[in-house]
Amino acid sequence: MRRQPLLGIVMIIGAVGPAQAQEPDAQAPPVRAVVDQVAGATLYLTVGRDGGILTGDTVWVARDSVGERLGVLVVLRSTATRSVLTFAEEPFAITRGQVLFVTPRGTASAREPGADDPAAGARVEERLRAAPARRPDVGGPVTRGSLSLDVAVRQSSTRFGGGDGQVIDRTFATPSLRLNTTVTQPLDWTLRLRTQVSHRYASTGTQINPTSVRVYEASFEKTLRSVPLRFQLGRFYNRYESYSGYWDGLLIRAGGRKAGFGVLLGLEPERSNQTVSADLPKATAFANFRSDGRRTRYAADVSVHRVDPRNGLLTHTYAGLSQRLRVGRVRVDQELQIDEDPVAGGWEATRFQLNVRGDVDRRVELRAGVSRQRPYRLFDPVSAISHPRDQLNGGLRVRAGRAIVSGDVAVNRDRDREDLGYSYSTYLFVPGSGSLGVTAAASYRTGSEYEAVTLSPGLTGTFGRMRANLSYRFYRSEYGPDRLFTTHTVQAGLDVPAGLGFRYRLRGSGQWGSGLTSGRLHAGLTKSF
């Protein structure tokens, strides 16, 4: 369940009532509304009768005024400036503070008796205005998540020294059990857990700790209602800034959805096995801000960090700034990190990325970007900040009906070798007249010392609720005159829903070429709840 959960997100499972949706009135423009509260399957919006939202209506909702519809809601209560709604068809994710665009159409016969009575409307208005001042009736905690059992098997044969050379056969098998779960008391507290238990078998060599238990997230969040404070304790990823990574520690944040600031104190987990480690204590201070308009949206976070190792490694002090801007059909994303150099002194820009995307119309998207990476090396007392790696890229995506074609070009430069590299890639998806579709991907990379090409055609199919895919991949690379590597790979996959929240997955692949033959099989069963 990226790992980057949004504040207050509530996933609703199960249908809620037989209400039927109507097509929206072609003359009714979409109305902008903000999700003020989420209480179970009940939503509170900041728009009401003044915006054409009437009690008993069924309405379409979308993320923007011309965007794809998310689903259908039915209006339970409506006042002049607010409304209470619930799902009319299949539920979808709703976040407190989310901006929605609602297209109304009235259904007078379905309206609540007395809805047009001014006295009744005044009473509803009074109750809704008082709602934020008291705790809504949200019921008990809501639990959602998934439990998965997976088995992965791989067999490989590697040949050395030509046709009569040595052959090494290996077999690996890894069964694993994964649990992802979130328990939420809406508008109050949230408990998150993501963990995996696995065992690795290998036919050759001695396995060190073949059975492992890895905890990727285990955190408790508490929101105070008397003051705008939020606490998070345990293992988590800080979703309010983009630079500090995972924590075993404590987060304290003051503020609301649009703006806030806070601090984090704790330890960095061991990267190799996700265990708790006291080697890298760290601290962070951050602030974030967002503004949502009808055509303009802006969000930013700024943070300062310090990692103070206890095992003789270099101290790491750095700061980060991220910004995301959307104006009409243009979207801009920017990231910047600066690090203090403990060896040479001063500050250096170690991470910069700027991406711009724009829709020429609903069918054509253009994109361009530039980036620089200079990784910080805690272990290097001579040169803590590595040489820069730069990239400049551009591309476009074109839609023709349901078909999609995209292409990208990138120029890469490694300052260590002063080497320029170029890459070209393209992707094509063409839906068939029935349940089958065709995909194709290709890439070509070249530099002063290497050349590589990849071709991958495939088929996708949907048969009822079952999904299947089949693809072939050709890869060829050349590093100098004596290092030529060629492989062929066939892959197939099947996803089958089985009802009651169960889903089966089956993946298989075979690879051969350049002295290597291997086969992989992955089977999984997931229960969602």
Side-chain angles (χ1 to χ4, degrees):
M1 287 179 58
R2 164 180 255 181
R3 254 178 143 59
Q4 307 295 327
L6 293 175
L7 175 61
I9 191 168
V10 177
M11 299 292 292
I12 313 297
I13 56 175
V16 284
Q20 299 297 315
Q22 302 131 345
E23 287 296 324
D25 190 336
Q27 303 302 314
V31 179
R32 182 181 183 274
V34 177
V35 180
D36 189 50
Q37 293 183 18
V38 179
T42 304
L43 317 175
Y44 297 78
L45 299 185
T46 59
V47 67
R49 292 194 303 269
D50 292 347
I53 308 300
L54 305 177
T55 301
D57 282 0
T58 52
V59 297
W60 291 104
V61 293
R63 295 191 190 278
D64 54 61
S65 58
V66 295
E68 181 180 357
R69 294 166 181 166
L70 294 173
V72 184
L73 301 176
V74 60
V75 183
L76 302 177
R77 296 285 191 277
S78 179
T79 71
T81 59
R82 296 190 65 194
S83 56
V84 184
L85 306 91
T86 191
F87 296 97
E89 293 182 344
E90 183 178 353
F92 48 92
I94 290 290
T95 307
R96 183 185 181 189
Q98 181 177 356
V99 176
L100 299 175
F101 286 82
V102 184
T103 304
R105 181 177 180 179
T107 343
S109 61
R111 295 178 190 170
E112 177 187 3
D116 296 323
D117 180 1
R123 290 193 296 272
V124 174
E125 180 81 36
E126 182 179 356
R127 290 198 300 271
L128 289 177
R129 285 178 176 172
R134 64 176 188 271
R135 180 185 179 91
D137 182 14
V138 297
V142 177
T143 301
R144 64 183 186 274
S146 63
L147 181 66
S148 301
L149 176 62
D150 296 86
V151 178
V153 180
R154 179 183 178 184
Q155 190 280 330
S156 66
S157 295
T158 307
R159 183 180 298 277
F160 301 92
D164 298 328
Q166 182 184 9
V167 177
I168 298 178
D169 294 324
R170 298 183 179 92
T171 300
F172 303 93
T174 307
S176 60
L177 184 67
R178 293 180 291 117
L179 174 64
N180 297 337
T181 185
T182 301
V183 182
T184 301
Q185 177 66 57
L187 310 181
D188 195 351
W189 56 261
T190 300
L191 176 66
R192 293 185 175 90
L193 177 65
R194 294 190 301 112
T195 184
Q196 175 178 298
V197 181
S198 60
H199 178 81
R200 179 177 173 84
Y201 162 81
S203 60
T204 59
T206 301
Q207 296 295 297
I208 301 175
N209 300 325
T211 301
S212 65
V213 179
R214 301 196 175 195
V215 178
Y216 300 101
E217 184 174 15
S219 70
F220 178 79
E221 290 183 60
K222 172 67 178 177
T223 301
L224 299 185
R225 302 190 59 78
S226 56
V227 291
L229 279 179
R230 175 179 292 269
F231 299 88
Q232 188 170 8
L233 177 66
R235 173 166 294 180
F236 55 88
Y237 184 93
N238 181 21
R239 62 180 178 271
Y240 299 109
E241 47 87 11
S242 311
Y243 300 89
S244 65
Y246 274 91
W247 291 79
D248 287 326
L250 170 67
L251 178 150
I252 304 173
R253 180 180 182 269
R257 185 189 69 88
K258 291 188 176 182
F261 61 92
V263 296
L264 296 98
L265 298 171
L267 306 168
E268 184 168 310
E270 184 69 38
R271 295 185 180 183
S272 61
N273 54 18
Q274 287 74 52
T275 58
V276 177
S277 172
D279 290 341
L280 296 175
K282 58 183 182 177
T284 289
F286 66 90
N288 65 303
F289 169 80
R290 65 178 299 161
S291 174
D292 296 313
R294 182 162 186 174
R295 291 185 54 81
T296 303
R297 300 176 186 176
Y298 175 76
D301 62 79
V302 60
S303 53
V304 292
H305 315 263
R306 183 177 177 87
V307 182
D308 194 6
R310 295 176 178 172
N311 51 7
L313 300 178
L314 295 173
T315 298
H316 190 192
T317 304
Y318 62 103
L321 170 66
S322 293
Q323 300 181 90
R324 295 164 294 281
L325 173 66
R326 178 170 183 173
V327 180
R329 294 179 176 179
V330 178
R331 297 170 295 281
V332 182
D333 296 315
Q334 170 263 311
E335 294 181 353
L336 172 65
Q337 178 177 324
I338 58 173
D339 291 50
E340 184 181 26
D341 191 334
V343 178
W347 291 77
E348 296 284 347
T350 59
R351 171 180 168 188
F352 175 75
Q353 185 167 321
L354 179 66
N355 292 308
V356 181
R357 293 183 297 163
D359 296 330
V360 178
D361 55 29
R362 297 185 181 181
R363 297 180 298 275
V364 180
E365 177 193 77
L366 300 178
R367 51 181 177 260
V370 60
S371 67
R372 166 170 285 195
Q373 301 290 335
R374 301 188 65 184
Y376 188 92
R377 300 181 292 201
L378 292 170
F379 56 85
D380 192 341
V382 177
S383 179
I385 299 177
S386 65
H387 58 272
R389 300 178 179 90
D390 301 326
Q391 183 182 88
L392 178 66
N393 62 78
L396 80 163
R397 183 182 65 179
V398 179
R399 290 179 177 269
R402 294 172 56 206
I404 300 173
V405 60
S406 67
D408 291 273
V409 179
V411 182
N412 303 275
R413 181 174 63 177
D414 191 322
R415 289 289 185 90
D416 183 40
R417 297 178 298 178
E418 291 297 333
D419 180 31
L420 282 179
Y422 302 87
S423 64
Y424 312 86
S425 61
T426 184
Y427 172 80
L428 172 68
F429 170 71
V430 180
S433 57
S435 58
L436 290 178
V438 176
T439 64
S443 67
Y444 175 71
R445 296 182 296 116
T446 183
S448 61
E449 300 178 354
Y450 68 92
E451 187 177 50
V453 61
T454 303
L455 302 173
S456 182
L459 294 173
T460 64
T462 302
F463 309 95
R465 298 176 61 193
M466 181 177 68
R467 298 193 300 270
N469 62 79
L470 175 66
S471 65
Y472 163 76
R473 181 176 183 267
F474 169 81
Y475 174 78
R476 179 185 176 93
S477 64
E478 184 174 356
Y479 292 84
D482 301 324
R483 298 177 61 188
L484 181 64
F485 188 73
T486 302
T487 62
H488 308 267
T489 305
V490 175
Q491 298 176 315
L494 188 66
D495 284 86
V496 183
L500 299 177
F502 285 95
R503 177 175 289 275
Y504 298 100
R505 301 178 307 281
L506 187 63
R507 303 280 188 273
S509 67
Q511 182 180 16
W512 67 96
S514 294
L516 173 67
T517 303
S518 68
R520 299 183 182 184
L521 182 65
H522 175 272
L525 172 64
T526 297
K527 165 64 177 175
S528 299
F529 54 86

